[in-house]
Amino acid sequence: MNAIENALRHLPSVDQLLRRNSLQALIAEAGREAVRDRLREVIAELRDEIADSNGEAARTADAGKITAEIELRLHSRFVRLQQSQTQRVINATGVVLHTNLGRAPLSRNALEAINQVAGNYCNLEYDLVTGKRGKRGTALQDMLAQLLGCEAAAVVNNCAAAVLITLNTLAEGGEVIVSRGELIEIGGSFRIPDVIAKSGARICEVGTTNRTRLSDYESAINEKTRVILRTHPSNYRILGFTEKPSLEDLTQLARTRNLPLFEDLGSGCLIDLEPLGIRGEPTVAYSIKAGCSLVAFSGDKLLGGPQAGIILGEAELIKRIKSNPLMRALRVDKLTHAALGATIASYMSGRAMKEIPALVALSATRETITRRARAFVRRAKNLTHALQLSLIDGFSVTGGGSAPEAQLPTTLISIKSERMKASEIEDRLRKNSPPVIARIVDDQLLLDLRTVSAAEEKELIDAIGRLRETEEGKRVHKKGRK
Ligand SMILES: *Cc1c(COP(=O)(O)O)cnc(C)c1O
């Protein structure tokens, strides 16, 4: 018998493995089918490895060792599967609207509203006054219109959907005029030229990358023009020799030529955030006052609510958008209605800066963060002397493609270790439960408490305590080898 055959003989069967006591807990949790499928994969993987190594891979292994190896690989597959489930993480990056981390955390009121409608029935499309079928989201749309001082509102799945349905409604088969300086890509493959193409309209580019004049728009208008599009270059800036017409001049032009002007604002800032040092984010109210026919923005960027796309503007145009068959495909569910309604209510009551977590995080001063960071380091140092914790000055950012150059002064907690590289600490924290997401600069791990809630601080300290265990484990290991 050759080495390969001999090695393969040691591989247990799937059925044998499924009967093992050590696998019963996993089977109960993940289901027999799933465990069986993963076992087959692991065994096939080992079979290939043994064959590739001419049996060498299993030369020293007996059946017991091979079984242990199979179980190890099986478990690590399920851990990976579990890690990839959507779950809570602690955001210690200081990026307030981190798109990869789910953007805005919701307010207590929004959570309470979701809780109410999610586990019960609700009047989503039912009119409690007449006892008849009602329209979805009427109250929310009225609130939005009232808050922003415009005629009407519509809510869709996200801002990308808002831009798509608006352009499709207004310009399908016709032309959309847009400045070459505003042919933006937001990331996640949202590109203005592609969205225009998908809306069924043709793009009519005017001006140059850095300079576009009112006269460029003017001379591009023809009988096929359906809409003038203005986009907010959220995540980049063109500096230096630049020019673009003011929003007022552009709306004036659109009005005299009887065309709608549609602005894609992206972030949708409802409160002027300049006092916080966040400059260059135009407010929604400003765009409406300047005379835009329609504006669109996200629900989960600076607004601080759930993922949604909000379209505001003239009643006649909003009515056309709502009767577009695409609306049914892009509409939002009861959870989003509840959360967005509660978030908008915070703005209406004037308590947004206190109640909405993203705004609370953005408005935290360096002094407040320093005080928290100092207390944090003191507590963490009591846990561990093996790690070096110190405070350094730094900046947090808004994120979510909003106000790219706004730097919010903060105090960072730096963690260094003699035995672990920053990347190793980062890896450990990421694999903590709950996972902690941090940043690395100049081979030191940095934590920014701006985006960490008071309730999460305790868990963050525990995570650092667990770093100490690995750290000390390494030291013991080293001594033992001497
Ligand atoms: C972020 C952004 C979008 C996309 O918004 P989503 O809500 O993520 O779909 C569109 N346009 C601009 C200008 C943006 O900044």
Side-chain angles (χ1 to χ4, degrees):
M1 195 191 294
N2 71 28
I4 298 179
E5 280 171 17
N6 188 39
L8 292 181
R9 228 168 27 101
H10 287 314
L11 284 177
S13 77
V14 172
D15 284 330
Q16 276 170 344
L17 287 162
L18 283 172
R19 281 196 295 273
R20 289 180 63 82
N21 278 341
S22 51
L23 289 189
Q24 296 318 304
L26 184 63
I27 290 171
E29 198 186 309
R32 180 170 292 269
E33 290 289 308
V35 176
R36 176 185 291 133
D37 289 351
R38 298 291 96 73
L39 270 176
R40 288 202 175 115
E41 285 169 18
V42 170
I43 291 171
E45 190 179 279
L46 277 174
R47 224 174 247 288
D48 287 348
E49 284 172 28
I50 290 169
D52 282 351
S53 69
N54 273 329
E56 199 61 22
R59 196 172 52 87
T60 56
D62 54 29
K65 272 192 190 152
I66 289 189
T67 303
E69 176 64 20
I70 289 174
E71 288 192 5
L72 191 71
R73 290 190 190 195
L74 181 71
H75 277 108
S76 77
R77 264 167 206 245
F78 277 99
V79 168
R80 237 179 298 147
L81 215 64
Q82 203 186 2
Q83 287 286 13
S84 59
Q85 300 273 355
T86 303
Q87 57 176 300
R88 175 170 81 96
V89 304
I90 294 178
N91 173 8
T93 63
V95 181
V96 177
L97 300 167
H98 201 306
T99 298
N100 302 152
L101 304 183
R103 290 199 187 146
L106 295 179
S107 69
R108 270 170 193 281
N109 294 346
L111 294 177
E112 175 55 27
I114 288 179
N115 204 15
Q116 286 291 324
V117 304
N120 300 290
Y121 293 101
C122 68
N123 61 339
L124 184 65
E125 291 185 358
Y126 185 81
D127 187 331
L128 290 173
V129 177
T130 61
K132 296 204 173 82
R133 186 175 196 282
K135 284 212 172 89
R136 185 180 286 241
T138 317
L140 172 60
Q141 290 155 18
D142 290 349
M143 271 164 80
L144 281 165
Q146 159 106 47
L147 179 67
L148 278 314
C150 61
E151 291 175 13
V155 178
V156 289
N157 185 53
N158 55 19
C159 187
V163 175
L164 177 71
I165 194 171
T166 302
L167 293 176
N168 176 262
T169 307
L170 302 183
E172 191 177 22
E175 285 183 7
V176 177
I177 298 181
V178 57
S179 160
R180 291 197 172 88
E182 296 176 8
L183 294 176
I184 51 174
E185 171 176 323
I186 301 302
S189 73
F190 179 90
R191 292 175 148 197
I192 289 293
D194 297 348
V195 177
I196 293 175
K198 274 289 170 206
S199 76
R202 270 187 317 283
I203 190 167
C204 172
E205 301 174 12
V206 298
T208 60
T209 306
N210 55 329
R211 307 194 87 189
T212 303
R213 300 185 186 85
L214 194 64
S215 57
D216 294 323
Y217 286 94
E218 215 165 351
S219 52
I221 296 174
N222 63 67
E223 71 285 354
K224 290 190 227 87
T225 308
R226 296 286 174 274
V227 61
I228 298 175
L229 173 66
R230 171 98 148 194
T231 65
H232 179 53
S234 307
N235 46 9
Y236 79 101
R237 292 287 177 266
I238 297 178
L239 301 173
F241 189 54
T242 65
E243 180 180 345
K244 66 178 189 181
S246 73
L247 194 55
E248 288 81 356
D249 286 347
L250 206 54
T251 56
Q252 175 70 31
L253 171 68
R255 210 169 308 122
T256 55
R257 304 300 287 265
N258 213 9
L259 287 167
L261 185 117
F262 169 43
E263 186 175 33
D264 171 14
L265 270 170
S267 212
C269 198
L270 298 195
I271 291 178
D272 183 9
L273 297 177
E274 280 224 23
L276 306 182
I278 299 168
R279 271 169 276 275
E281 270 308 319
T283 62
V284 176
Y286 173 80
S287 293
I288 293 187
K289 227 168 121 208
C292 290
S293 318
L294 291 171
V295 297
F297 53 95
S298 292
D300 55 355
K301 292 189 184 171
L302 284 172
L303 190 136
Q307 180 189 304
I310 297 162
I311 312 167
L312 298 177
E314 293 168 13
E316 204 274 317
L317 298 177
I318 295 282
K319 199 168 148 211
R320 278 173 61 198
I321 290 170
K322 283 193 198 159
S323 52
N324 186 329
L326 268 180
M327 192 65 190
R328 177 57 200 253
L330 303 177
R331 73 181 187 184
V332 299
D333 69 335
K334 59 181 178 176
L335 307 191
T336 303
H337 271 118
L340 190 55
T343 308
I344 296 302
S346 285
Y347 283 95
M348 297 194 81
S349 70
R351 286 200 293 269
M353 292 306 289
K354 289 206 163 58
E355 293 179 351
I356 295 176
L359 297 179
V360 171
L362 287 171
S363 54
T365 60
R366 173 177 269 164
E367 289 67 42
T368 317
I369 297 170
T370 306
R371 213 174 311 124
R372 282 177 63 197
R374 218 177 266 142
F376 184 94
V377 166
R378 217 177 299 126
R379 281 204 281 161
K381 270 188 177 159
N382 285 339
L383 274 177
T384 171
H385 295 285
L387 298 165
Q388 294 137 37
L389 291 134
S390 57
L391 300 184
I392 59 170
D393 286 347
F395 294 97
S396 326
V397 294
T398 316
S402 317
E405 74 267 55
Q407 297 215 310
L408 306 164
T410 193
T411 293
L412 303 163
I413 299 164
S414 150
I415 303 183
K416 280 193 252 176
S417 151
E418 276 167 21
R419 290 176 188 78
M420 278 189 279
K421 285 206 289 239
S423 56
E424 218 175 314
I425 301 176
E426 188 272 339
D427 187 71
R428 299 252 165 221
L429 289 176
R430 185 160 27 82
K431 288 173 182 159
N432 184 64
S433 173
V436 174
I437 314 301
R439 48 174 151 148
I440 297 176
V441 177
D442 298 334
D443 203 39
Q444 53 184 330
L445 186 111
L446 299 177
L447 304 174
D448 188 342
L449 294 185
R450 182 184 294 277
T451 45
V452 178
S453 72
E456 289 168 331
E457 268 187 37
K458 168 86 177 64
E459 292 174 303
L460 192 48
I461 293 202
D462 289 345
I464 290 170
R466 272 174 225 124
L467 282 179
R468 175 198 58 169
E469 283 154 24
T470 21
E471 172 87 345
E472 283 171 359
K474 277 197 173 186
R475 207 176 317 164
V476 170
H477 192 63
K478 275 200 174 155
K479 271 191 199 146
R481 266 196 318 211
K482 266 182 203 161

